[in-house]
Amino acid sequence: MNSNKFAPRAILALVLSFVLASLCRAPLRGQTTQSQPQPAPQSHPIVLHAARLLDVESGRILTPGEILIQADAIKEVGAKVTRPAGAEIIDLGDTTLLPGLIDAHVHLFLHPGAEDLQTVQESVPQRTIVATLAARADLLAGFTAERDMGTEGAGSADAAVRDAINRGEIPGPRLRISGNAINILGGHEDAIGYNPEQHVLPNATYANNSAELVTVIREQLKEGADFIKIYETGADTVANGKLSTPFQYSEEELTAAVRETARTGNRVAVHATGEPGTLYAARAGVESVDHAFQLSDETMRIMREKQIFAVPTFTISEYFAEHAATPEGAAREHALLDVHVSNFKKQLAAGVPIAMGSDVGPFPHGTQAREFSLMVKYGMSALAAIQAGTLNGAKLLGWQEKIGVLKPGYQADIVAVPGNPLDDISALEKVSFVMKAGVIYRK
């Protein structure tokens, strides 16, 4: 995560508006109080009917589109499906059905405001409450699966949120979680700029060499992490269109981290914006390079060959540029964004696999579908952007045989958007229907 400075009053206003907006949303279908278990899938079949259905693999639009759902799974997909006796027919009108959206880079434990202050001033219980509200907001916006890229100082509290969602105790997306991310002493996520005598804790867990990386990885996995998040670069500066960012771990250290994580069948994702850290990460065999502002030709070649995903996170860059505390800060963010946009076009041309990730948290949860619009603005086709947030997201999260497409046997994670998103990608910012595992959360 990048940090952005805000005035204290602005922080308070943003936090209050975020929490109030979350609390004032309409209750979920079938839910009377937030403490009650969430509804189970209906025992009777459900048929969804809409004007269109998008096959995200082929890009073909079915007109009309229908899906037969039994319990938590898709049973049939087509222009007209079987209507079993007792089936509930739901007509969604002039909308397009598509798989539930997947955001591969979120921070449930962050909200708008100064990141370095909220992680110091707010208790872990308080931040966990914020995370549950964020998970609900993301789900209602159509994101039925997400990868939480670090609690930013809240330890393994994300495991509790994930498990509560899985037990049906609170609403939220399917989650892959990383616990506290990993960072070097004095690195990108260390508590820099405070009185050293106060011993302010960092937003990530220290590991300064291969042996310490292995120890921390084992601890994170013990506490419930699904994957490991490592900060590999930072801080970033731009001069004459060229990004400069120091690496934090050597190629050998990252290789040790990947090897240790793979021992238990898990993977490593890195925060990495530029060279040589991105090259070290690609050679080590990480699962994703998140942010990926400026990649060398060799890094892109390796990422294409190893199918390592780049996760662009344009939305956070746009937000920081528009909400910078000073003109100098705004200029810096715009310079970084310009570098990223230019290199993104090269990544697309080089065939680097792309997964949608927004870095939501420092900007309001539930608004991150803006990322699709920005990916299209900066060079992707609408279909490729949708695939990045469905097919590719499912693959990155390790759920490619379970979600990400509308096929018989897959989980009934389904959304509907007005009109045709292939004609207007911003339709994904207006999700009108949300189903996850056969349960309707928005209608």
Side-chain angles (χ1 to χ4, degrees):
M1 273 304 312
N2 297 320
S3 68
N4 198 33
K5 305 295 183 182
F6 288 76
R9 290 184 180 178
I11 297 170
L12 181 59
L14 284 166
V15 173
L16 288 175
S17 63
F18 171 77
V19 175
L20 287 172
S22 300
L23 290 173
C24 291
R25 286 184 181 271
L28 302 182
R29 185 175 185 257
Q31 180 186 359
T32 55
T33 68
Q34 192 69 15
S35 61
Q36 290 183 338
Q38 299 307 299
Q42 297 292 333
S43 59
H44 61 263
I46 296 175
V47 173
L48 302 179
H49 174 93
R52 290 163 297 277
L53 183 148
L54 175 61
D55 179 339
V56 296
E57 291 180 301
S58 68
R60 186 164 64 101
I61 292 278
L62 297 181
T63 309
E66 293 190 345
I67 305 174
L68 171 62
I69 298 116
Q70 181 68 60
D72 62 354
I74 295 171
K75 293 299 180 185
E76 192 176 337
V77 178
K80 186 172 180 60
V81 300
T82 305
R83 285 169 162 74
E88 178 184 1
I89 312 300
I90 300 176
D91 189 342
L92 297 171
D94 185 23
T95 64
T96 299
L97 293 166
L98 64 157
L101 306 178
I102 301 171
D103 191 335
H105 193 124
V106 309
H107 290 279
L108 294 175
F109 286 75
L110 293 178
H111 57 74
E115 186 182 326
D116 54 351
L117 291 182
Q118 66 187 261
T119 57
V120 171
Q121 295 175 343
E122 298 171 9
S123 68
V124 171
Q126 180 181 353
R127 297 185 66 208
T128 304
I129 292 170
V130 168
T132 64
L133 295 173
R136 183 176 190 265
D138 289 354
L139 177 62
L140 292 178
F143 289 89
T144 56
E146 294 182 330
R147 194 175 59 151
D148 191 83
M149 293 291 286
T151 62
E152 305 280 329
S156 59
D158 52 355
V161 175
R162 176 201 59 198
D163 294 348
I165 291 171
N166 290 345
R167 290 192 297 265
E169 296 166 351
I170 60 173
R174 305 173 189 275
L175 290 178
R176 293 293 199 198
I177 59 98
S178 63
N180 225 30
I182 303 174
N183 190 48
I184 62 171
L185 180 67
H188 180 72
E189 280 298 307
D190 205 349
I192 298 172
Y194 293 94
N195 175 2
E197 296 304 313
Q198 296 302 315
H199 304 289
V200 177
L201 296 174
N203 286 347
T205 302
Y206 289 134
N208 290 305
N209 53 50
S210 296
E212 291 180 5
L213 275 167
V214 169
T215 298
V216 172
I217 287 168
R218 290 175 179 175
E219 185 68 25
Q220 306 287 40
L221 295 175
K222 172 187 174 181
E223 294 179 3
D226 297 309
F227 68 100
I228 298 300
K229 156 76 176 290
I230 293 176
Y231 284 97
E232 169 57 3
T233 66
D236 304 327
T237 58
V238 175
N240 300 317
K242 183 174 177 57
L243 175 70
S244 177
T245 184
F247 71 91
Q248 300 197 162
Y249 295 101
S250 69
E251 182 180 334
E252 293 74 20
E253 288 168 332
L254 287 180
T255 299
V258 169
R259 184 187 303 117
E260 174 59 28
T261 309
R263 183 180 63 82
T264 54
N266 295 288
R267 297 184 293 176
V268 172
V270 294
H271 166 118
T273 57
E275 303 295 338
T278 48
L279 178 60
Y280 296 164
R283 286 176 174 168
V286 301
E287 69 173 1
S288 68
V289 175
D290 287 63
H291 308 302
F293 290 173
Q294 195 168 59
L295 307 178
S296 70
D297 291 344
E298 176 66 4
T299 300
M300 290 188 284
R301 182 191 66 78
I302 295 171
M303 291 176 68
R304 181 185 68 249
E305 289 185 358
K306 292 186 176 182
Q307 288 297 287
I308 296 170
F309 285 98
V311 183
T313 66
F314 286 118
T315 313
I316 193 68
S317 296
E318 178 187 69
Y319 184 84
F320 281 164
E322 293 177 353
H323 294 80
T326 66
E328 293 77 15
R332 173 183 177 276
E333 296 296 339
H334 280 296
L336 286 168
L337 183 56
D338 289 344
V339 165
H340 193 182
V341 170
S342 175
N343 195 253
F344 182 63
K345 298 178 190 300
K346 295 178 182 178
Q347 294 170 31
L348 295 176
V352 174
I354 307 293
M356 182 275 192
S358 68
D359 213 350
V360 67
F363 67 92
H365 279 274
T367 68
Q368 66 261 47
R370 172 68 176 162
E371 186 72 21
F372 291 105
S373 297
L374 292 177
M375 287 193 293
V376 171
K377 178 180 178 180
Y378 298 138
M380 292 188 89
S381 68
L383 176 61
I386 293 170
Q387 290 171 334
T390 52
L391 285 169
N392 293 356
K395 184 177 180 181
L396 179 52
L397 271 62
W399 285 328
Q400 62 268 33
E401 302 299 326
K402 182 177 183 178
I403 60 173
V405 295
L406 300 177
K407 281 184 176 180
Y410 278 64
Q411 286 285 286
D413 288 10
I414 304 164
V415 300
V417 300
N420 183 346
L422 297 183
D423 295 333
D424 180 7
I425 193 66
S426 69
L428 297 183
E429 300 176 45
K430 309 175 185 74
V431 168
S432 57
F433 174 88
V434 179
M435 172 182 279
K436 176 192 156 200
V439 177
I440 297 173
Y441 288 91
R442 183 168 189 172
K443 179 180 176 183

